[in-house]
PDB file of all heavy atoms in Angstrom:
ATOM      1  N   VAL T  91      30.583 137.982-150.113  1.00 91.00           N
ATOM      2  CA  VAL T  91      32.031 138.174-150.196  1.00 91.00           C
ATOM      3  C   VAL T  91      32.655 136.830-150.554  1.00 91.00           C
ATOM      4  O   VAL T  91      32.889 135.992-149.690  1.00 91.00           O
ATOM      5  CB  VAL T  91      32.619 138.712-148.877  1.00 91.00           C
ATOM      6  CG1 VAL T  91      34.130 138.900-149.006  1.00 91.00           C
ATOM      7  CG2 VAL T  91      31.953 140.016-148.483  1.00 91.00           C
ATOM      8  N   SER T  92      32.863 136.599-151.855  1.00 89.00           N
ATOM      9  CA  SER T  92      33.324 135.312-152.382  1.00 89.00           C
ATOM     10  C   SER T  92      32.386 134.180-151.990  1.00 89.00           C
ATOM     11  O   SER T  92      32.800 133.024-151.866  1.00 89.00           O
ATOM     12  CB  SER T  92      34.761 135.001-151.917  1.00 89.00           C
ATOM     13  OG  SER T  92      35.681 135.841-152.555  1.00 89.00           O
ATOM     14  N   ASP T  93      31.146 134.493-151.755  1.00 89.00           N
ATOM     15  CA  ASP T  93      30.104 133.533-151.389  1.00 89.00           C
ATOM     16  C   ASP T  93      28.783 134.016-151.980  1.00 89.00           C
ATOM     17  O   ASP T  93      28.652 135.202-152.327  1.00 89.00           O
ATOM     18  CB  ASP T  93      29.969 133.413-149.862  1.00 89.00           C
ATOM     19  CG  ASP T  93      30.972 132.442-149.250  1.00 89.00           C
ATOM     20  OD1 ASP T  93      31.283 131.429-149.917  1.00 89.00           O
ATOM     21  OD2 ASP T  93      31.437 132.688-148.127  1.00 89.00           O
ATOM     22  N   PRO T  94      27.779 133.135-152.086  1.00 91.00           N
ATOM     23  CA  PRO T  94      26.478 133.558-152.611  1.00 91.00           C
ATOM     24  C   PRO T  94      25.883 134.709-151.792  1.00 91.00           C
ATOM     25  O   PRO T  94      26.104 134.798-150.586  1.00 91.00           O
ATOM     26  CB  PRO T  94      25.627 132.295-152.482  1.00 91.00           C
ATOM     27  CG  PRO T  94      26.598 131.175-152.485  1.00 91.00           C
ATOM     28  CD  PRO T  94      27.811 131.700-151.759  1.00 91.00           C
ATOM     29  N   GLY T  95      25.127 135.562-152.464  1.00 93.00           N
ATOM     30  CA  GLY T  95      24.479 136.683-151.782  1.00 93.00           C
ATOM     31  C   GLY T  95      24.359 137.916-152.637  1.00 93.00           C
ATOM     32  O   GLY T  95      23.352 138.616-152.591  1.00 93.00           O
ATOM     33  N   TYR T  96      25.392 138.190-153.434  1.00 93.00           N
ATOM     34  CA  TYR T  96      25.408 139.426-154.216  1.00 93.00           C
ATOM     35  C   TYR T  96      24.223 139.523-155.171  1.00 93.00           C
ATOM     36  O   TYR T  96      23.561 140.559-155.255  1.00 93.00           O
ATOM     37  CB  TYR T  96      26.729 139.521-154.996  1.00 93.00           C
ATOM     38  CG  TYR T  96      26.746 140.632-156.024  1.00 93.00           C
ATOM     39  CD1 TYR T  96      26.864 141.965-155.634  1.00 93.00           C
ATOM     40  CD2 TYR T  96      26.620 140.346-157.384  1.00 93.00           C
ATOM     41  CE1 TYR T  96      26.872 142.977-156.577  1.00 93.00           C
ATOM     42  CE2 TYR T  96      26.624 141.357-158.330  1.00 93.00           C
ATOM     43  CZ  TYR T  96      26.746 142.673-157.923  1.00 93.00           C
ATOM     44  OH  TYR T  96      26.737 143.669-158.849  1.00 93.00           O
ATOM     45  N   ARG T  97      23.937 138.448-155.896  1.00 93.00           N
ATOM     46  CA  ARG T  97      22.864 138.483-156.886  1.00 93.00           C
ATOM     47  C   ARG T  97      21.522 138.803-156.230  1.00 93.00           C
ATOM     48  O   ARG T  97      20.724 139.590-156.745  1.00 93.00           O
ATOM     49  CB  ARG T  97      22.782 137.146-157.627  1.00 93.00           C
ATOM     50  CG  ARG T  97      21.770 137.143-158.770  1.00 93.00           C
ATOM     51  CD  ARG T  97      21.710 135.767-159.420  1.00 93.00           C
ATOM     52  NE  ARG T  97      23.000 135.358-159.934  1.00 93.00           N
ATOM     53  CZ  ARG T  97      23.470 135.733-161.115  1.00 93.00           C
ATOM     54  NH1 ARG T  97      22.752 136.515-161.898  1.00 93.00           N
ATOM     55  NH2 ARG T  97      24.652 135.323-161.521  1.00 93.00           N
ATOM     56  N   LEU T  98      21.272 138.194-155.076  1.00 95.00           N
ATOM     57  CA  LEU T  98      20.005 138.427-154.391  1.00 95.00           C
ATOM     58  C   LEU T  98      19.913 139.866-153.883  1.00 95.00           C
ATOM     59  O   LEU T  98      18.844 140.488-153.932  1.00 95.00           O
ATOM     60  CB  LEU T  98      19.848 137.449-153.228  1.00 95.00           C
ATOM     61  CG  LEU T  98      18.537 137.526-152.434  1.00 95.00           C
ATOM     62  CD1 LEU T  98      17.333 137.399-153.344  1.00 95.00           C
ATOM     63  CD2 LEU T  98      18.521 136.453-151.355  1.00 95.00           C
ATOM     64  N   VAL T  99      21.028 140.413-153.414  1.00 96.00           N
ATOM     65  CA  VAL T  99      21.031 141.810-152.970  1.00 96.00           C
ATOM     66  C   VAL T  99      20.690 142.737-154.131  1.00 96.00           C
ATOM     67  O   VAL T  99      19.875 143.665-153.989  1.00 96.00           O
ATOM     68  CB  VAL T  99      22.395 142.192-152.366  1.00 96.00           C
ATOM     69  CG1 VAL T  99      22.469 143.694-152.104  1.00 96.00           C
ATOM     70  CG2 VAL T  99      22.639 141.434-151.067  1.00 96.00           C
ATOM     71  N   VAL T 100      21.297 142.494-155.291  1.00 95.00           N
ATOM     72  CA  VAL T 100      21.031 143.333-156.469  1.00 95.00           C
ATOM     73  C   VAL T 100      19.550 143.294-156.836  1.00 95.00           C
ATOM     74  O   VAL T 100      18.927 144.337-157.089  1.00 95.00           O
ATOM     75  CB  VAL T 100      21.899 142.872-157.659  1.00 95.00           C
ATOM     76  CG1 VAL T 100      21.457 143.565-158.949  1.00 95.00           C
ATOM     77  CG2 VAL T 100      23.364 143.164-157.392  1.00 95.00           C
ATOM     78  N   GLU T 101      18.971 142.105-156.833  1.00 95.00           N
ATOM     79  CA  GLU T 101      17.563 141.978-157.210  1.00 95.00           C
ATOM     80  C   GLU T 101      16.650 142.585-156.149  1.00 95.00           C
ATOM     81  O   GLU T 101      15.618 143.185-156.476  1.00 95.00           O
ATOM     82  CB  GLU T 101      17.223 140.505-157.452  1.00 95.00           C
ATOM     83  CG  GLU T 101      17.981 139.910-158.632  1.00 95.00           C
ATOM     84  CD  GLU T 101      17.468 138.549-159.042  1.00 95.00           C
ATOM     85  OE1 GLU T 101      16.368 138.155-158.585  1.00 95.00           O
ATOM     86  OE2 GLU T 101      18.157 137.869-159.825  1.00 95.00           O
ATOM     87  N   ALA T 102      17.027 142.447-154.882  1.00 96.00           N
ATOM     88  CA  ALA T 102      16.218 143.029-153.813  1.00 96.00           C
ATOM     89  C   ALA T 102      16.242 144.555-153.878  1.00 96.00           C
ATOM     90  O   ALA T 102      15.209 145.219-153.734  1.00 96.00           O
ATOM     91  CB  ALA T 102      16.724 142.546-152.454  1.00 96.00           C
ATOM     92  N   VAL T 103      17.415 145.121-154.111  1.00 97.00           N
ATOM     93  CA  VAL T 103      17.534 146.574-154.215  1.00 97.00           C
ATOM     94  C   VAL T 103      16.712 147.091-155.395  1.00 97.00           C
ATOM     95  O   VAL T 103      16.009 148.109-155.288  1.00 97.00           O
ATOM     96  CB  VAL T 103      19.018 146.980-154.356  1.00 97.00           C
ATOM     97  CG1 VAL T 103      19.138 148.450-154.718  1.00 97.00           C
ATOM     98  CG2 VAL T 103      19.776 146.694-153.062  1.00 97.00           C
ATOM     99  N   ALA T 104      16.785 146.386-156.520  1.00 96.00           N
ATOM    100  CA  ALA T 104      16.036 146.806-157.705  1.00 96.00           C
ATOM    101  C   ALA T 104      14.526 146.749-157.462  1.00 96.00           C
ATOM    102  O   ALA T 104      13.765 147.527-158.052  1.00 96.00           O
ATOM    103  CB  ALA T 104      16.407 145.927-158.894  1.00 96.00           C
ATOM    104  N   ALA T 105      14.088 145.853-156.577  1.00 96.00           N
ATOM    105  CA  ALA T 105      12.663 145.703-156.292  1.00 96.00           C
ATOM    106  C   ALA T 105      12.224 146.511-155.070  1.00 96.00           C
ATOM    107  O   ALA T 105      11.096 146.346-154.599  1.00 96.00           O
ATOM    108  CB  ALA T 105      12.340 144.229-156.075  1.00 96.00           C
ATOM    109  N   ASP T 106      13.111 147.371-154.549  1.00 96.00           N
ATOM    110  CA  ASP T 106      12.818 148.196-153.380  1.00 96.00           C
ATOM    111  C   ASP T 106      12.512 147.367-152.139  1.00 96.00           C
ATOM    112  O   ASP T 106      11.708 147.758-151.279  1.00 96.00           O
ATOM    113  CB  ASP T 106      11.649 149.153-153.661  1.00 96.00           C
ATOM    114  CG  ASP T 106      12.031 150.266-154.619  1.00 96.00           C
ATOM    115  OD1 ASP T 106      13.206 150.686-154.581  1.00 96.00           O
ATOM    116  OD2 ASP T 106      11.177 150.697-155.411  1.00 96.00           O
ATOM    117  N   VAL T 107      13.151 146.220-152.034  1.00 97.00           N
ATOM    118  CA  VAL T 107      13.028 145.381-150.840  1.00 97.00           C
ATOM    119  C   VAL T 107      14.088 145.818-149.834  1.00 97.00           C
ATOM    120  O   VAL T 107      15.261 145.968-150.199  1.00 97.00           O
ATOM    121  CB  VAL T 107      13.226 143.893-151.196  1.00 97.00           C
ATOM    122  CG1 VAL T 107      13.334 143.046-149.939  1.00 97.00           C
ATOM    123  CG2 VAL T 107      12.077 143.395-152.067  1.00 97.00           C
ATOM    124  N   PRO T 108      13.727 146.027-148.572  1.00 97.00           N
ATOM    125  CA  PRO T 108      14.721 146.426-147.570  1.00 97.00           C
ATOM    126  C   PRO T 108      15.817 145.369-147.406  1.00 97.00           C
ATOM    127  O   PRO T 108      15.524 144.167-147.405  1.00 97.00           O
ATOM    128  CB  PRO T 108      13.900 146.565-146.284  1.00 97.00           C
ATOM    129  CG  PRO T 108      12.491 146.748-146.739  1.00 97.00           C
ATOM    130  CD  PRO T 108      12.371 145.968-148.009  1.00 97.00           C
ATOM    131  N   VAL T 109      17.047 145.844-147.276  1.00 97.00           N
ATOM    132  CA  VAL T 109      18.192 144.954-147.075  1.00 97.00           C
ATOM    133  C   VAL T 109      18.935 145.413-145.835  1.00 97.00           C
ATOM    134  O   VAL T 109      19.188 146.616-145.665  1.00 97.00           O
ATOM    135  CB  VAL T 109      19.148 144.970-148.284  1.00 97.00           C
ATOM    136  CG1 VAL T 109      20.326 144.035-148.047  1.00 97.00           C
ATOM    137  CG2 VAL T 109      18.418 144.598-149.563  1.00 97.00           C
ATOM    138  N   THR T 110      19.287 144.479-144.970  1.00 97.00           N
ATOM    139  CA  THR T 110      20.064 144.834-143.784  1.00 97.00           C
ATOM    140  C   THR T 110      21.125 143.765-143.550  1.00 97.00           C
ATOM    141  O   THR T 110      21.072 142.674-144.133  1.00 97.00           O
ATOM    142  CB  THR T 110      19.162 144.966-142.537  1.00 97.00           C
ATOM    143  OG1 THR T 110      19.920 145.531-141.461  1.00 97.00           O
ATOM    144  CG2 THR T 110      18.600 143.614-142.107  1.00 97.00           C
ATOM    145  N   VAL T 111      22.095 144.093-142.719  1.00 97.00           N
ATOM    146  CA  VAL T 111      23.229 143.200-142.463  1.00 97.00           C
ATOM    147  C   VAL T 111      23.410 142.999-140.969  1.00 97.00           C
ATOM    148  O   VAL T 111      23.309 143.948-140.186  1.00 97.00           O
ATOM    149  CB  VAL T 111      24.531 143.789-143.074  1.00 97.00           C
ATOM    150  CG1 VAL T 111      25.745 142.995-142.614  1.00 97.00           C
ATOM    151  CG2 VAL T 111      24.450 143.800-144.599  1.00 97.00           C
ATOM    152  N   LEU T 112      23.673 141.758-140.587  1.00 96.00           N
ATOM    153  CA  LEU T 112      24.098 141.456-139.222  1.00 96.00           C
ATOM    154  C   LEU T 112      25.611 141.292-139.273  1.00 96.00           C
ATOM    155  O   LEU T 112      26.112 140.251-139.700  1.00 96.00           O
ATOM    156  CB  LEU T 112      23.434 140.174-138.718  1.00 96.00           C
ATOM    157  CG  LEU T 112      21.910 140.126-138.731  1.00 96.00           C
ATOM    158  CD1 LEU T 112      21.415 138.830-138.096  1.00 96.00           C
ATOM    159  CD2 LEU T 112      21.321 141.323-137.997  1.00 96.00           C
ATOM    160  N   PRO T 113      26.376 142.322-138.882  1.00 95.00           N
ATOM    161  CA  PRO T 113      27.841 142.251-139.014  1.00 95.00           C
ATOM    162  C   PRO T 113      28.416 141.193-138.092  1.00 95.00           C
ATOM    163  O   PRO T 113      27.805 140.777-137.106  1.00 95.00           O
ATOM    164  CB  PRO T 113      28.293 143.656-138.619  1.00 95.00           C
ATOM    165  CG  PRO T 113      27.214 144.164-137.726  1.00 95.00           C
ATOM    166  CD  PRO T 113      25.941 143.566-138.246  1.00 95.00           C
ATOM    167  N   GLY T 114      29.623 140.767-138.449  1.00 94.00           N
ATOM    168  CA  GLY T 114      30.249 139.736-137.627  1.00 94.00           C
ATOM    169  C   GLY T 114      31.600 139.327-138.163  1.00 94.00           C
ATOM    170  O   GLY T 114      32.297 140.120-138.811  1.00 94.00           O
ATOM    171  N   PRO T 115      31.984 138.079-137.965  1.00 94.00           N
ATOM    172  CA  PRO T 115      33.326 137.606-138.325  1.00 94.00           C
ATOM    173  C   PRO T 115      33.630 137.775-139.810  1.00 94.00           C
ATOM    174  O   PRO T 115      32.767 137.615-140.657  1.00 94.00           O
ATOM    175  CB  PRO T 115      33.279 136.114-137.951  1.00 94.00           C
ATOM    176  CG  PRO T 115      32.209 136.014-136.920  1.00 94.00           C
ATOM    177  CD  PRO T 115      31.187 137.021-137.303  1.00 94.00           C
TER     178      PRO T 115
END
Side-chain angles (χ1 to χ4, degrees):
V91 180
S92 289
D93 276 325
Y96 170 74
R97 185 182 301 277
L98 182 54
V99 171
V100 170
E101 296 191 13
V103 170
D106 289 327
V107 170
V109 180
T110 190
V111 170
L112 303 185

